[in-house]
Amino acid sequence: MSKVIVISGTPGTGKTTVASILVKKIKGIHIDLSDLVLKEKLYKEVDEKRETVIADLDRLLPKLREIIRSANSPIIVEGHYAEIVPSKFVNVAIILRTHPKELEKRLEKKNFKESKIRENIQAEILGVCSYNALNAYEKEKIYEIDTTSKTPNETVNIILEILEGKGENYKIGKIDWLAVLEKEGTLSYFFE
């Protein structure tokens, strides 16, 4: 069984790009949960309003376990709900975070609908992915990286530091967008 690195975060924080660079550096296997769910048809239904599919965890989790148990290389499981990977398999969980103003720009570039942009920004402000990771894993396994002004390669280098045991500056709990936006006086803009 291989080492599993979970990379989670709100859509637009850089998960897929970072995971694709990291997987080459560590000679690992990249599992993009969204792709896996679509390719293997591991979903219950299509949510037309939110333009997404609802993953069938009863089918997805056994598939993940099978991949993890059979792998001889490090595995990166990436997705905004990657915290579904059982804790016993996970060595480290990285949550990518992005300032809401920058996240809004990134999601607009991806042509997300306004309602989906708002939903994802609010999830980022509230730290939903970090909260989910805290409910899934021991706190010592969880790190947060602010990708707002970092290139994907800079983010990958930080992850490599974390994997080497040098990630103290990135322990979960240091990023608080609620406090930042309150101080900037822009919090109400995102919750109109």
Side-chain angles (χ1 to χ4, degrees):
M1 185 169 57
S2 292
K3 165 173 34 178
V4 176
I5 301 158
V6 165
I7 298 180
S8 185
T10 308
T13 56
K15 297 176 303 297
T16 303
T17 304
V18 166
S20 64
I21 295 168
L22 181 62
V23 76
K24 291 175 188 162
K25 293 208 179 233
I26 65 171
K27 296 177 178 57
I29 298 166
H30 177 194
I31 300 172
D32 177 324
L33 285 179
S34 296
D35 285 351
L36 180 65
V37 166
L38 290 174
K39 284 178 187 168
E40 302 280 333
K41 296 185 178 19
L42 301 172
Y43 51 89
K44 294 182 197 180
E45 61 184 286
V46 177
D47 183 338
E48 300 287 343
K49 184 178 176 190
R50 295 174 68 225
E51 298 179 336
T52 190
V53 296
I54 308 301
D56 184 345
L57 297 183
D58 292 335
R59 293 173 42 228
L60 176 56
L61 284 170
K63 182 69 177 172
L64 275 175
R65 284 188 196 99
E66 174 189 322
I67 295 168
I68 292 166
R69 287 187 175 123
S70 66
N72 293 318
S73 304
I75 298 173
I76 298 167
V77 178
E78 168 256 315
H80 68 275
Y81 59 99
E83 307 83 23
I84 65 164
V85 179
S87 182
K88 69 180 180 178
F89 297 121
V90 176
N91 293 73
V92 66
I94 309 287
I95 314 301
L96 302 184
R97 308 288 308 271
T98 302
H99 189 290
K101 287 179 189 172
E102 174 61 23
L103 187 62
E104 183 176 44
K105 291 176 193 169
R106 292 180 189 182
L107 296 177
E108 285 171 351
K109 275 187 185 172
K110 290 182 171 214
N111 293 317
F112 276 39
K113 287 168 85 174
E114 182 59 37
S115 59
K116 199 166 182 178
I117 292 172
R118 182 98 13 221
E119 176 186 354
N120 283 302
I121 289 173
Q122 290 174 352
E124 177 63 18
I125 292 168
L126 298 173
V128 170
C129 291
S130 297
Y131 175 81
N132 291 343
L134 281 168
N135 282 322
Y137 308 124
E138 298 84 9
K139 192 173 182 179
E140 305 76 50
K141 290 182 178 183
I142 310 169
Y143 299 84
E144 291 177 308
I145 301 171
D146 179 355
T147 66
T148 305
S149 58
K150 290 179 180 57
T151 66
N153 281 313
E154 288 171 330
T155 302
V156 167
N157 288 334
I158 291 168
I159 294 172
L160 292 171
E161 284 179 35
I162 290 168
L163 295 175
E164 292 170 4
K166 302 173 188 169
E168 208 48 46
N169 291 337
Y170 302 97
K171 285 294 201 182
I172 191 166
K174 296 183 180 183
I175 298 172
D176 183 353
W177 296 134
L178 278 171
V180 169
L181 296 175
E182 186 66 34
K183 189 175 180 183
E184 292 175 354
T186 58
L187 183 60
S188 62
Y189 168 79
F190 295 105
F191 287 94
E192 292 175 331

